[in-house]
Amino acid sequence: MGSHTAVSVVAANSLCHALVCLAVSRQSDSGWPADPPSEQGAGHVIDKNYVTMMARYNAWQNTQLTGIVTKMDRDALELDRGAFFGSILGTLNHLLWGDRMWLSRFGANVDAPARGDTTKHTPTIAAWSAERFQVDGRMKIWAAGLRNLDLAGELSWYSGGHDAMLTRPLGLCVAHFFNHQTHHRGQVHAMLTAAGQAAPVSDLVFMDDDGM
């Protein structure tokens, strides 16, 4: 290889290196993750703004549901409609039970519910409504006090389903918490429409700043 060719190769390599460095720099400046996905902490899944938004959304949805189900008769609420947890009240009870369990793990000033048949958590829709309102209020207080640093940490708890202690990223657990709510509210939505009832407005983009 001649000296001219060698110089050209070195120059080309130097230019490529400079362009790569510039691209990485621009990624960092624009907010793109500079680290590869495998090196990013699980706490980056969500942040505090997401948690407070979803806590408000949860309360908004349950306020609408309360206005519908408290006007329905007991037979309609307890009728087995073929859902995973059977009835409208059974599904609402399971979701309330799950919210209490996760919030107790998150340190949200909510007592863990008794273990057993989660569909029987409350005996009536009036009891469900009162407890639901209380839990939703405490959920919003918990979300407001959360820090992004907390979400980057880990959560350890005893899982009755696995009969073992588990440890997972807190951000992942909180994301699961809200996803679980959306899943079961969707089932309730389907049962309400099948029963001839109006269903809540569930589009997140239509929630106003007051969560209404």
Side-chain angles (χ1 to χ4, degrees):
M1 179 184 293
S3 59
H4 178 72
T5 302
V7 169
S8 298
V9 170
V10 171
N13 287 339
S14 299
L15 177 60
C16 288
H17 177 74
L19 289 174
V20 169
C21 291
L22 178 61
V24 170
S25 174
R26 286 180 175 176
Q27 278 189 323
S28 299
D29 292 342
S30 65
W32 297 0
D35 296 329
S38 60
E39 296 179 15
Q40 295 178 43
H44 290 285
V45 171
I46 57 173
D47 63 9
K48 176 179 177 174
N49 289 334
Y50 173 82
V51 177
T52 55
M53 177 185 69
M54 291 305 294
R56 288 173 44 238
Y57 177 73
N58 165 77
W60 178 50
Q61 290 301 293
N62 287 327
T63 297
Q64 294 183 74
L65 281 172
T66 298
I68 298 167
V69 298
T70 52
K71 296 175 183 176
M72 297 175 65
D73 62 56
R74 184 164 188 161
D75 288 343
L77 291 168
E78 296 181 357
L79 177 66
D80 189 334
R81 300 178 185 275
F84 192 85
F85 290 103
S87 67
I88 292 171
L89 181 57
T91 304
L92 290 173
N93 267 332
H94 168 76
L95 179 50
L96 177 57
W97 185 94
D99 283 353
R100 289 190 67 104
M101 183 61 77
W102 277 109
L103 287 170
S104 72
R105 294 166 178 166
F106 297 155
N109 192 29
V110 174
D111 293 332
R115 295 186 181 275
D117 186 350
T118 63
T119 67
K120 306 294 185 183
H121 180 67
T122 63
T124 66
I125 201 64
W128 170 85
S129 176
E131 188 173 323
R132 182 76 264 181
F133 180 79
Q134 180 189 57
V135 169
D136 290 349
R138 292 186 179 179
M139 189 186 305
K140 289 192 288 186
I141 292 171
W142 159 75
L146 203 62
R147 304 172 301 168
N148 284 328
L149 181 63
D150 298 324
L151 292 167
E154 292 187 329
L155 176 70
S156 295
W157 77 97
Y158 172 77
S159 169
H162 290 82
D163 191 24
M165 288 296 299
L166 301 179
T167 299
R168 298 288 187 274
L170 178 60
L172 180 64
C173 293
V174 174
H176 162 76
F177 170 66
F178 289 119
N179 189 61
H180 181 255
Q181 294 175 350
T182 301
H183 168 64
H184 288 303
R185 278 196 304 261
Q187 293 175 327
V188 173
H189 188 290
M191 287 188 280
L192 286 174
T193 55
Q197 298 290 328
V201 176
S202 59
D203 299 279
L204 180 60
V205 294
F206 295 138
M207 179 177 70
D208 64 24
D209 291 339
D210 296 323
M212 301 295 291

